[in-house]
Structures are given as C-alpha cells and as structure tokens.
Amino acid sequence: MSFPLQGRIQIVGSGAIGSIIAANAQRHDIAYSLAPRTRDQLTQRLITYSGQSVLLNHNLPVAERLQDSDLLIFPLKAHQLQSAAQQWQQRVSPDTPVLLLHNGMGGLESVREVFKKQPIYLATTSHGAIKLNPHEVKHTGFGRTMVGEAPDNYRDNSAQSEMVMKVLSRCLQPVTWQQDIVRALWLKLAINAVINPLTAINDIPNGKLDSAEFKDQIGTICEEVAQVACACGIQAEATELQKNVQQVIINTAENYSSMHQDLARHRPTENEAINGFVVRQAEKKGIDVPVNAFLYNKITELEADYS
Ligand code: KPL
C-alpha cells in the first residue's frame, strides 16, 4: 500500500544500500532522485532479494533545493560524509531533515559541523548488498533497520520523524524506531567490529564465521567492545553483543561483508569508523583492547598495500 508523501527523497551516492532504497522508493511511488556523490556512475539496475531485476528510472531530476518536507539521505561511508554535506549545504533549508546511514561511529559529529540546525536522523541496517559492476547492485542479505533522532536535535521534529519512519519502512524494512539510537549504533558497531575485519582478513563470506575456529576471537572482540561502551556511558553486555553478532552471521551467511568487498576492490574501508573508533575510545578511557587493535592494524596494513 502506498502512502501520501508530500516531499521527495534525495539519495546521495550510488552505493549498495542507496540503490536498495531507490528501488523500493520506485516500487512504492515515492518521488525520489539519486545524485552521484562525486563523478561516480549511478546504479541503473537492482537485483532484488527475491531475484527480480528492477531498472531504476530516477523518477525526478537531482534537486536544486530541498524543502522542509523533503528528506536528504546519505547512505555513505563515515569518511565520505563531511564533503557530501558540504556539497549539499547551500541546497537545504534550515529544517530539511537529513538521514545518515553508515557503519561505525563518528558520522554525526562530522555532518553536524556543516548542518548545524537541520534535524539529523541516524540509522543503521544489517541488509547486505553487493555492487556487481558500476551499474548493477544485488540485494544479497535480508537484514533489519533501526532509526532514531540524533541526540543533539534541539526542536520538536515529530512530523519529520514520522515521515522518516514512513519512508524507511517502505524502503529498508523491517524498521524499528529507537528512542536511544546511540545505544543501537553501539550494538551495531560490535557486529561490524567482528564480522567486517574477520571476513576481510580471512577472505570468507559472513557465514563461515559460524565455526569453532572463530568462537574465542568473537567472544573477546565483544568483551572489548562492551567494556569500552560501558566506559562511554552505554549499557552493553558482552553476551548480548555476541548473540546479536551470531544472529547476523546466520542471517547474512552468503553475504560478503562491505569491508571484504572494499578490500577486494581496493576501495577505502570503514576501518577508522569501526575498529579504529573502538581503539581510540579505549585509549581515551585507559582500556586495553588488543584484539580490536590487532584487527585495526591488520586492515590498515592491507589498505596500505593497494597498488
Ligand atoms: O553491515 C554489514 C556490512 O557488511 O558492512 C553486515 C551486517 C556485516 C552485513 O554484511
């Protein structure tokens, strides 16, 4: 069933998750446009989770200016966010809602330097997708999405929150609204701190982590993240983190993690925003995180070897 949406959604970038959002917007008759982040080529076709091929017809041109009833979506990596925000700074109104969807932490801080007043929404998803070639994306893992308001939004944004929730529940379902999205992001951070580097370093799909070989390492990574989270004021238990990780490993078993894909294609990874973030926070709090530090250093080394 479609719902009336007054504005348009403007999706920036042509990554895997942005393409899933675009295809679902099209399916639900939501007015949308896709804009390249740099000179990258836009995805033209999405192979859906059920195997259908959808041609993305970008039903609107890229927006010249976004209104309060529109939604600007950045399904980008944390390190790409600030320059993307700068590119859009002159085209948003003070009330245009902005949705960030990325792995790891630190995105809000870098975007807030540019969008000082706009209501910002934070989301995280465990849907998996792969870019088959510059024009084609395949939705490979059916996950779930959590969204909530950035803790530093300072006005009542209930109408916009409702709109964000409606858009996401059509475009990246199933979606749950989180009063405490920061805690949800820490829980997702633990998932990425385990799955992304381990699959990338060992060159395996997510499902291969479901073996005795990785059990202790996964347990230790979760313990380290839980300790750092607690020191940062986020209530988290290692056993809860480990259970979540295990669930995502099973749900996305066939999937290659985004970090695996990035390393394979010699693209910059999200290492700084994932294990790098854990290591930096641990240093600030005086906590030892040897396994996260090992993974962070290993991925840094592998990235430095790109020719
Ligand atoms: O977020 C992911 C990623 O690959 O970045 C997971 C959930 C691990 C799915 O692969």
Side-chain angles (χ1 to χ4, degrees):
M1 194 178 68
S2 295
F3 62 89
L5 228 193
Q6 286 169 350
R8 68 157 67 188
I9 63 173
Q10 175 64 63
I11 306 161
V12 178
S14 64
I17 298 296
S19 308
I20 297 178
I21 297 175
N24 283 323
Q26 190 165 299
R27 188 157 74 90
H28 289 285
D29 291 328
I30 298 172
Y32 81 98
S33 41
L34 265 179
R37 186 180 58 85
T38 51
R39 287 163 188 230
D40 50 357
Q41 289 167 309
L42 287 175
T43 309
Q44 288 168 1
R45 190 176 288 281
L46 181 100
I47 316 293
T48 66
Y49 191 65
S50 57
Q52 281 170 302
S53 172
V54 177
L55 190 64
L56 299 178
N57 61 19
H58 312 175
N59 62 21
L60 285 179
V62 174
E64 293 288 326
R65 181 135 200 103
L66 291 167
Q67 309 300 330
D68 304 352
S69 55
D70 297 328
L71 173 62
L72 178 60
I73 306 184
F74 285 149
L76 301 173
K77 292 183 174 153
H79 65 262
Q80 299 169 332
L81 283 169
Q82 197 168 63
S83 67
Q86 281 157 353
Q87 282 169 25
W88 282 84
Q89 193 173 19
Q90 304 302 324
R91 285 187 267 174
V92 294
S93 85
D95 278 323
T96 304
V98 180
L99 172 67
L100 313 184
L101 233 167
H102 62 88
N103 282 332
M105 308 291 268
L108 172 63
E109 292 70 17
S110 64
V111 170
R112 190 53 94 194
E113 282 179 25
V114 184
F115 293 143
K116 296 197 186 325
K117 295 196 174 132
Q118 284 75 9
I120 296 184
Y121 291 84
L122 306 174
T124 175
T125 188
S126 52
H127 279 279
I130 183 163
K131 204 147 185 176
L132 299 174
N133 57 55
H135 310 292
E136 242 182 341
V137 167
K138 188 171 185 319
H139 186 178
T140 48
F142 203 88
R144 62 194 189 105
T145 306
M146 294 182 280
V147 63
E149 272 202 72
D152 59 357
N153 283 355
Y154 64 92
R155 293 188 277 260
D156 173 15
N157 303 302
S158 27
Q160 284 161 318
S161 300
E162 201 181 315
M163 185 266 278
V164 168
M165 189 61 193
K166 279 182 173 172
V167 167
L168 276 184
S169 55
R170 296 299 185 277
C171 297
L172 217 48
Q173 59 151 314
V175 181
T176 47
W177 179 262
Q178 302 289 316
Q179 284 308 336
D180 186 356
I181 186 65
V182 176
R183 178 168 189 272
L185 294 179
W186 272 91
L187 299 189
K188 177 70 187 329
L189 177 70
I191 294 171
N192 290 119
V194 170
I195 299 181
N196 294 29
L198 289 181
T199 53
I201 293 166
N202 295 292
D203 191 12
I204 49 175
N206 297 354
K208 289 270 184 220
L209 294 176
D210 185 20
S211 98
E213 189 193 338
F214 293 105
K215 199 164 176 282
D216 290 350
Q217 217 176 3
I218 292 178
T220 313
I221 300 168
C222 291
E223 274 163 26
E224 291 181 1
V225 176
Q227 252 190 303
V228 179
C230 290
C232 293
I234 306 294
Q235 188 248 323
E237 303 240 351
T239 46
E240 180 191 13
L241 303 187
Q242 212 171 333
K243 212 169 107 209
N244 294 346
V245 168
Q246 192 57 29
Q247 198 57 54
V248 175
I249 289 174
I250 291 166
N251 291 353
T252 63
E254 309 287 309
N255 207 48
Y256 283 91
S257 75
S258 53
M259 192 172 276
H260 182 285
Q261 296 180 45
D262 287 336
L263 272 189
R265 289 173 179 73
H266 289 192
R267 293 186 304 228
T269 72
E270 294 172 301
N271 193 26
E272 289 298 336
I274 302 176
N275 302 90
F277 177 83
V278 176
V279 171
R280 286 193 301 278
Q281 297 304 311
E283 264 165 25
K284 281 190 204 157
K285 305 287 176 189
I287 299 170
D288 237 14
V289 289
V291 182
N292 274 278
F294 168 80
L295 297 173
Y296 169 69
N297 291 332
K298 186 75 196 162
I299 297 291
T300 306
E301 256 172 57
L302 293 171
E303 265 191 83
D305 282 349
Y306 291 170
S307 44

